[in-house]
Amino acid sequence: MQKSGSEATLLGMFFHDPQLGWAVGSGGTILKTTDGGRKWKKLSSGTTSLLTAVYFQDARRGWVVGANGTVRTSRDGGETWSAVFVSTQAPLYGIAFVTPQKGWLVGGNGTILQTTDGGENWTDQASGTSAALHSIVLTNQQHGTIVGALGTILTTSDGGVTWTPQVSQSSATFFDVAFADEANGWAVGNAGALFQTTDGGTHWIDRTLPCGRTCNKLTDLIRVRFIDAQQGWIVGEHGQILRTTDAGFNWVEEASPVKRSLMALSFPHTTAGWAAGEGGTIISISPGRR
């Protein structure tokens, strides 16, 4: 456990390196650490909107997104933030950049916004869906995947010019998607939804774990990250932490120091990770080799 000094629900987290990181959440909360999470300082975001995701390109240039089309950017490591105009009032949930100039935001009502000028201007892209889009990941300049509500999975193979729906055969709400390499990826969602692709996002296989003997209902899985081709982590409701060391063939439940839901996850290095969630919860994770 780390002392965040906040009671906010933390929904987004990003570490630039094992010392420098940010967490964002309810009430416009932005927290920053420069010492690996031993101390967290609250920054003024200039908004009281719920913030859902944070991303920094380097130690200084970053973005946060949130409710009601909120987008704010910083050029000084998060010390000060300015508003960015976007043409939507939809809640925004995910940020991804593939180059310093080219990035995307995704959110409610099938919203996809793209920038090609480093975040100065954002333009609407056609998603072909009205489902909430929760997470976006790019594996290279051309290939990317978006996941969202109602089993929605979209992929691009032309650098985001067009987004194509894929069949997940699930009605789950997918909250997050991550790739171990360009071919192998995982999507996680409500009621334990756990789906795998081995072909870059075109086909998805249901790997949802069975409900154990003491299980009434499968726990929502909220964030997934891979730190190399073999090692991956998932966090979710009620402090659940799952880990794989064999590329997702087996997922093992880790002992968690908290019962509060974990909603954010960041691994800046193979030896250092953090998760955050309800009530200002922040935990550090040291993935020693098994």
Side-chain angles (χ1 to χ4, degrees):
M1 288 284 292
Q2 296 194 320
K3 287 197 170 87
S4 70
S6 173
E7 289 293 312
T9 295
L10 301 173
L11 298 175
M13 184 172 237
F14 185 85
F15 271 77
H16 175 256
D17 59 47
Q19 297 302 311
L20 178 61
W22 300 263
V24 302
S26 58
T29 298
I30 303 179
L31 306 176
K32 178 181 180 179
T33 182
T34 54
D35 60 6
R38 283 183 288 280
K39 287 206 245 359
W40 290 86
K41 140 175 126 164
K42 188 165 183 181
L43 305 175
S44 173
S45 66
T47 179
T48 55
S49 292
L50 174 73
L51 300 178
T52 54
V54 53
Y55 172 79
F56 272 77
Q57 283 187 343
D58 53 39
R60 299 185 67 77
R61 182 83 161 114
W63 285 265
V64 294
V65 300
N68 306 314
T70 298
V71 183
R72 299 185 78 79
T73 187
S74 176
R75 295 175 186 272
D76 58 11
E79 299 299 319
T80 59
W81 294 87
S82 56
V84 177
F85 174 78
V86 293
S87 58
T88 182
Q89 291 289 301
L92 297 170
Y93 300 120
I95 315 173
F97 276 80
V98 69
T99 69
Q101 296 301 308
K102 192 172 179 185
W104 290 265
L105 308 175
V106 298
N109 306 327
T111 299
I112 304 176
L113 300 172
Q114 184 187 31
T115 183
T116 54
D117 60 8
E120 299 298 324
N121 297 282
W122 295 87
T123 54
D124 265 316
Q125 284 191 296
S127 67
T129 179
S130 59
L133 303 176
H134 287 290
S135 179
I136 176 169
V137 66
L138 280 296
T139 51
N140 57 38
Q141 292 250 12
Q142 297 303 312
H143 291 88
T145 302
I146 295 171
V147 299
L150 306 172
T152 301
I153 299 177
L154 309 174
T155 61
T156 184
S157 55
D158 57 15
V161 178
T162 56
W163 291 92
T164 306
Q166 305 299 340
V167 177
S168 65
Q169 292 179 320
S170 171
S171 59
T173 292
F174 291 120
F175 295 123
D176 201 18
V177 58
F179 278 76
D181 53 42
E182 291 187 0
N184 295 286
W186 294 83
V188 298
N190 71 321
L194 179 61
F195 280 66
Q196 180 187 19
T197 180
T198 56
D199 60 8
T202 305
H203 298 93
W204 291 84
I205 307 144
D206 189 346
R207 302 279 191 214
T208 302
L209 302 172
C211 222
R213 278 179 311 208
T214 57
C215 164
N216 299 322
K217 134 179 148 43
L218 282 164
T219 305
D220 288 359
L221 304 179
I222 299 171
R223 293 281 173 250
V224 55
R225 293 288 180 271
F226 271 79
I227 54 181
D228 57 34
Q230 299 296 313
Q231 287 197 85
W233 294 80
I234 294 170
V235 297
E237 253 188 325
H238 312 310
Q240 184 164 46
I241 303 172
L242 300 173
R243 181 187 186 188
T244 182
T245 54
D246 58 12
F249 193 73
N250 294 288
W251 290 92
V252 177
E253 189 159 354
E254 296 281 318
S256 175
V258 292
K259 288 285 176 244
R260 286 172 162 175
S261 294
L262 298 171
M263 300 174 176
L265 185 61
S266 181
F267 276 94
H269 193 268
T270 54
T271 61
W274 283 263
E278 291 176 332
T281 298
I282 299 179
I283 61 173
S284 69
I285 302 169
S286 303
R289 285 279 175 190
R290 282 290 165 83

